[in-house]
Amino acid sequence: MTRGTQDETTAAARAGDAPALTTDGLPDWLAPVAAAARSVRPRQLSRFLPPEDGRGRQSAVLILFGEGQRGPELLLQERAGSLRSHAGQPSFPGGALDPEDGDPHTTGPLRAALREAEEETGLDPAGVQLFGVLPRLYIPVSEFVVTPVLGWWREPSPVGAVDPAETARVFTVPVADLTDPAHRVTVVHPRGHEGPGFTVESALVWGFTAGVIDRILHFSGWERPWDRSRHVPLDWHA
């Protein structure tokens, strides 16, 4: 989503058309993330951008920051191993936009991110403050055009796997673990592709999710030097 589109989204949201985007009352530690969301450009996040001809299924994910016993944390889920697409892979809550979510270029992603997160994890959207969006990205293997929506878990609510057929588990990861060089790896896909990865909470976070987390850490100034030569191969079926 471009800077202009983000401004349009914010204006529409404030008009009552969707959940509002606001940075009011954010904890100080989230300020660098909010600033990065306002300034980062699409090519700085990924080389995979939405096709210019408009192809791709519009979708959104919720990147939800909370505060746990070990400080700032991020909400993730692990997809069920029986799914046809991205089985067993850790991910942000999210999914495709429904018609009732509205315009995919303005307020639709905000509604979709909250709706999907509620459907998948059971969280109460009323306790989530949306404070920014990142540029839209593209997942070639599934042809999803994804808008990452940033949220602050202002009032945490119980979460868990709502439908075990779709979600194996829901968990939080301390940001301190994500920035710890001991948990950072370069993931090597069987086809030869390489990308950032995180070994946290008994899971290997890789692919789109790891790539977005990596860029958030970098542009928020949270990234610590880590050994990029530490390679972890994926299984052949990944």
Side-chain angles (χ1 to χ4, degrees):
M1 185 174 287
T2 64
R3 178 67 178 275
T5 304
Q6 178 174 340
D7 292 341
E8 293 168 8
T9 301
T10 304
R14 288 175 176 170
D17 194 32
L21 283 178
T22 177
T23 57
D24 294 344
L26 285 182
D28 291 342
W29 59 265
L30 264 180
V33 180
R38 291 191 295 269
S39 61
V40 70
R41 307 264 57 90
R43 289 284 179 190
Q44 293 176 305
L45 291 181
S46 175
R47 63 190 179 92
F48 297 113
L49 302 181
E52 295 183 359
D53 61 7
R55 287 183 296 110
R57 189 175 184 188
Q58 298 294 329
S59 63
V61 295
L62 179 64
I63 303 176
L64 185 59
F65 292 91
E67 190 141 13
Q69 294 182 348
R70 294 182 53 204
E73 60 186 16
L74 195 61
L75 180 70
L76 295 177
Q77 62 183 23
E78 187 175 303
R79 294 169 59 82
S82 58
L83 293 176
R84 295 177 58 185
S85 177
H86 307 293
Q89 188 173 347
S91 67
F92 302 116
L97 269 66
D98 286 345
E100 57 267 28
D101 291 325
D103 189 343
H105 298 288
T106 55
T107 60
L110 306 183
R111 291 186 182 278
L114 288 177
R115 175 182 54 75
E116 287 283 345
E118 180 179 16
E119 292 175 359
E120 293 175 338
T121 73
L123 70 77
D124 182 359
V128 176
Q129 175 181 334
L130 303 182
F131 66 89
V133 292
L134 296 178
R136 289 186 300 155
L137 304 175
Y138 187 58
I139 304 180
V141 66
S142 58
E143 298 186 340
F144 276 109
V145 175
V146 186
T147 299
V149 180
L150 301 170
W152 158 236
W153 211 353
R154 189 183 63 252
E155 298 177 9
S157 54
V159 292
V162 174
D163 183 356
E166 293 190 1
T167 306
R169 64 173 174 140
V170 177
F171 59 101
T172 56
V173 180
V175 171
D177 286 350
L178 294 169
T179 60
D180 186 343
H183 295 297
R184 302 219 54 181
V185 297
T186 295
V187 176
V188 182
H189 194 277
R191 296 178 180 174
H193 309 308
E194 295 185 359
F198 301 83
T199 55
V200 291
E201 300 298 321
S202 302
L204 173 62
V205 183
W206 62 283
F208 174 85
T209 302
V212 173
I213 293 174
D214 172 79
R215 295 294 81 195
I216 289 175
L217 297 182
H218 176 77
F219 287 107
S220 298
W222 293 351
E223 184 179 34
R224 297 165 59 188
W226 58 282
D227 184 4
R228 298 174 187 271
S229 68
R230 184 185 171 203
H231 288 178
V232 172
L234 286 177
D235 292 337
W236 66 269
H237 56 76

